[in-house]
Amino acid sequence: MAALRVGVLVLLGLCLGCAAAAVPLVIWHGMGDSCCNPQSMGYIKKIVENKIPGIYVLSLKIGSNLIQDMENSFFMNVNDQVREVCSQLAKDPQLKGGYNAMGFSQGGQFLRAVAQRCPSPPMLNLISIGGQHQGSVYGFPRCPGESSHICDWIRKTLDLGAYTEAVQEHLVQAEYWHDPLKEEDYRKNSIFLADINQERGINETYKKNLMALKKFVMVRFLNDTMVDPPISEWFGFYKSGQAKETVPLKETSLYTEDRLGLQEMDRAGKLVFLGVKGDHLHFSEEWFYTTILPFLQ
């Protein structure tokens, strides 16, 4: 009888351990970065694993090696990237019960596309760190890592024709290029951002899937010199037809018409707007621990 009680307690302990298991985390890097750079995504993966014992962290790699992963952040059609990621997630048995997602810079809006287009396995919380959810415009004041020559070429290409078919199909940054002086061209020809932001009509599935999130956390860098305008990180943007005055999310038609469900999510307390002092993706380890980790635990 005593042995039976011990066996039952062991089984209960195992079940409780399973119930308390950490929710897996999927992270997607930004422009010019790769899944496993020890100074960026590799570092984030390591500190999360150190602080949340037993957590499964998947740092997304698009391509067969790190060089391809970095190059694809510039040149692989974003819709193809999202499809590839959805396939990776669906095939990963560790994610079948759901996962949290954390995207850095352009990885933030790319993971939002995953949430909207691929509800299985379910994304529970989405944390966008510097993601440009209303797009960005007017070049890159600076460029990550060793990619300055690539960014120089991108600037020239975008200036020549961001909304041409060839550029849209083969240049990632053109796919979330949002020119307030060419709103009609943007709405008509943007093959990625205009779609996920419901600029050409309402896809009720996109809306339903995004609203299924428990929390949608948006981090804005208050001294950002890379994203133009920085308020895009909180879903704000320039007033149409000019590039000086900006409007916050709640004054955009996306919110007032609730085309994406953000108004309803806001009323339900699902939207979290965080500001951090510093330039694009510049934050301290302490800030990450105290501000971001609670959403993963």
Side-chain angles (χ1 to χ4, degrees), residues 128-140:
S128 168
I129 300 182
Q132 304 96 338
H133 292 283
Q134 284 277 27
S136 188
V137 75
Y138 300 139
F140 307 101

PDB file of all heavy atoms in Angstrom, residues 128-140:
ATOM      1  N   SER A 128       6.780  42.285 -30.141  1.00  0.00           N
ATOM      2  CA  SER A 128       7.437  42.946 -31.264  1.00  0.00           C
ATOM      3  C   SER A 128       8.405  43.991 -30.709  1.00  0.00           C
ATOM      4  O   SER A 128       7.988  44.973 -30.096  1.00  0.00           O
ATOM      5  CB  SER A 128       6.390  43.621 -32.157  1.00  0.00           C
ATOM      6  OG  SER A 128       7.000  44.481 -33.090  1.00  0.00           O
ATOM      7  N   ILE A 129       9.688  43.772 -30.922  1.00  0.00           N
ATOM      8  CA  ILE A 129      10.709  44.681 -30.401  1.00  0.00           C
ATOM      9  C   ILE A 129      11.252  45.517 -31.558  1.00  0.00           C
ATOM     10  O   ILE A 129      12.099  45.083 -32.340  1.00  0.00           O
ATOM     11  CB  ILE A 129      11.829  43.893 -29.690  1.00  0.00           C
ATOM     12  CG1 ILE A 129      11.224  43.103 -28.518  1.00  0.00           C
ATOM     13  CG2 ILE A 129      12.920  44.834 -29.187  1.00  0.00           C
ATOM     14  CD1 ILE A 129      12.218  42.321 -27.692  1.00  0.00           C
ATOM     15  N   GLY A 130      10.693  46.720 -31.705  1.00  0.00           N
ATOM     16  CA  GLY A 130      11.119  47.607 -32.785  1.00  0.00           C
ATOM     17  C   GLY A 130      10.549  47.256 -34.134  1.00  0.00           C
ATOM     18  O   GLY A 130      11.061  47.700 -35.161  1.00  0.00           O
ATOM     19  N   GLY A 131       9.463  46.476 -34.172  1.00  0.00           N
ATOM     20  CA  GLY A 131       8.851  46.114 -35.457  1.00  0.00           C
ATOM     21  C   GLY A 131       8.119  47.290 -36.085  1.00  0.00           C
ATOM     22  O   GLY A 131       7.468  48.077 -35.395  1.00  0.00           O
ATOM     23  N   GLN A 132       8.189  47.396 -37.414  1.00  0.00           N
ATOM     24  CA  GLN A 132       7.600  48.537 -38.137  1.00  0.00           C
ATOM     25  C   GLN A 132       6.219  48.160 -38.659  1.00  0.00           C
ATOM     26  O   GLN A 132       6.043  47.857 -39.846  1.00  0.00           O
ATOM     27  CB  GLN A 132       8.520  48.936 -39.305  1.00  0.00           C
ATOM     28  CG  GLN A 132       9.945  49.245 -38.873  1.00  0.00           C
ATOM     29  CD  GLN A 132      10.889  48.041 -39.023  1.00  0.00           C
ATOM     30  OE1 GLN A 132      10.468  46.897 -39.068  1.00  0.00           O
ATOM     31  NE2 GLN A 132      12.180  48.310 -39.097  1.00  0.00           N
ATOM     32  N   HIS A 133       5.210  48.225 -37.799  1.00  0.00           N
ATOM     33  CA  HIS A 133       3.901  47.665 -38.150  1.00  0.00           C
ATOM     34  C   HIS A 133       3.102  48.515 -39.120  1.00  0.00           C
ATOM     35  O   HIS A 133       2.159  48.017 -39.745  1.00  0.00           O
ATOM     36  CB  HIS A 133       3.108  47.380 -36.877  1.00  0.00           C
ATOM     37  CG  HIS A 133       3.706  46.268 -36.091  1.00  0.00           C
ATOM     38  ND1 HIS A 133       3.550  44.946 -36.447  1.00  0.00           N
ATOM     39  CD2 HIS A 133       4.514  46.278 -34.996  1.00  0.00           C
ATOM     40  CE1 HIS A 133       4.219  44.187 -35.599  1.00  0.00           C
ATOM     41  NE2 HIS A 133       4.813  44.969 -34.714  1.00  0.00           N
ATOM     42  N   GLN A 134       3.441  49.777 -39.268  1.00  0.00           N
ATOM     43  CA  GLN A 134       2.849  50.588 -40.321  1.00  0.00           C
ATOM     44  C   GLN A 134       3.874  50.865 -41.417  1.00  0.00           C
ATOM     45  O   GLN A 134       3.680  51.731 -42.254  1.00  0.00           O
ATOM     46  CB  GLN A 134       2.309  51.912 -39.761  1.00  0.00           C
ATOM     47  CG  GLN A 134       1.010  51.775 -39.002  1.00  0.00           C
ATOM     48  CD  GLN A 134      -0.206  51.773 -39.914  1.00  0.00           C
ATOM     49  OE1 GLN A 134      -0.134  51.400 -41.076  1.00  0.00           O
ATOM     50  NE2 GLN A 134      -1.337  52.189 -39.370  1.00  0.00           N
ATOM     51  N   GLY A 135       4.968  50.141 -41.380  1.00  0.00           N
ATOM     52  CA  GLY A 135       5.987  50.304 -42.395  1.00  0.00           C
ATOM     53  C   GLY A 135       6.998  51.373 -42.040  1.00  0.00           C
ATOM     54  O   GLY A 135       6.940  52.005 -40.991  1.00  0.00           O
ATOM     55  N   SER A 136       7.938  51.536 -42.937  1.00  0.00           N
ATOM     56  CA  SER A 136       8.993  52.525 -42.768  1.00  0.00           C
ATOM     57  C   SER A 136       9.278  53.146 -44.127  1.00  0.00           C
ATOM     58  O   SER A 136       8.901  52.598 -45.166  1.00  0.00           O
ATOM     59  CB  SER A 136      10.258  51.858 -42.213  1.00  0.00           C
ATOM     60  OG  SER A 136      11.224  52.817 -41.864  1.00  0.00           O
ATOM     61  N   VAL A 137       9.914  54.289 -44.118  1.00  0.00           N
ATOM     62  CA  VAL A 137      10.117  55.012 -45.370  1.00  0.00           C
ATOM     63  C   VAL A 137      11.400  55.827 -45.296  1.00  0.00           C
ATOM     64  O   VAL A 137      11.962  56.063 -44.220  1.00  0.00           O
ATOM     65  CB  VAL A 137       8.884  55.920 -45.649  1.00  0.00           C
ATOM     66  CG1 VAL A 137       8.885  57.129 -44.752  1.00  0.00           C
ATOM     67  CG2 VAL A 137       8.798  56.318 -47.111  1.00  0.00           C
ATOM     68  N   TYR A 138      11.890  56.217 -46.463  1.00  0.00           N
ATOM     69  CA  TYR A 138      13.023  57.145 -46.562  1.00  0.00           C
ATOM     70  C   TYR A 138      14.354  56.583 -46.086  1.00  0.00           C
ATOM     71  O   TYR A 138      15.058  57.187 -45.295  1.00  0.00           O
ATOM     72  CB  TYR A 138      12.710  58.470 -45.864  1.00  0.00           C
ATOM     73  CG  TYR A 138      11.515  59.157 -46.463  1.00  0.00           C
ATOM     74  CD1 TYR A 138      10.575  59.776 -45.675  1.00  0.00           C
ATOM     75  CD2 TYR A 138      11.315  59.155 -47.833  1.00  0.00           C
ATOM     76  CE1 TYR A 138       9.459  60.387 -46.228  1.00  0.00           C
ATOM     77  CE2 TYR A 138      10.203  59.751 -48.402  1.00  0.00           C
ATOM     78  CZ  TYR A 138       9.294  60.369 -47.603  1.00  0.00           C
ATOM     79  OH  TYR A 138       8.190  60.962 -48.153  1.00  0.00           O
ATOM     80  N   GLY A 139      14.656  55.393 -46.559  1.00  0.00           N
ATOM     81  CA  GLY A 139      16.023  54.893 -46.434  1.00  0.00           C
ATOM     82  C   GLY A 139      16.418  54.411 -45.062  1.00  0.00           C
ATOM     83  O   GLY A 139      15.629  54.361 -44.139  1.00  0.00           O
ATOM     84  N   PHE A 140      17.678  54.047 -44.945  1.00  0.00           N
ATOM     85  CA  PHE A 140      18.226  53.518 -43.706  1.00  0.00           C
ATOM     86  C   PHE A 140      19.352  54.444 -43.267  1.00  0.00           C
ATOM     87  O   PHE A 140      20.429  54.428 -43.853  1.00  0.00           O
ATOM     88  CB  PHE A 140      18.758  52.102 -43.927  1.00  0.00           C
ATOM     89  CG  PHE A 140      17.747  51.195 -44.555  1.00  0.00           C
ATOM     90  CD1 PHE A 140      17.810  50.905 -45.906  1.00  0.00           C
ATOM     91  CD2 PHE A 140      16.718  50.661 -43.804  1.00  0.00           C
ATOM     92  CE1 PHE A 140      16.868  50.079 -46.494  1.00  0.00           C
ATOM     93  CE2 PHE A 140      15.765  49.834 -44.387  1.00  0.00           C
ATOM     94  CZ  PHE A 140      15.845  49.543 -45.741  1.00  0.00           C
TER      95      PHE A 140
END
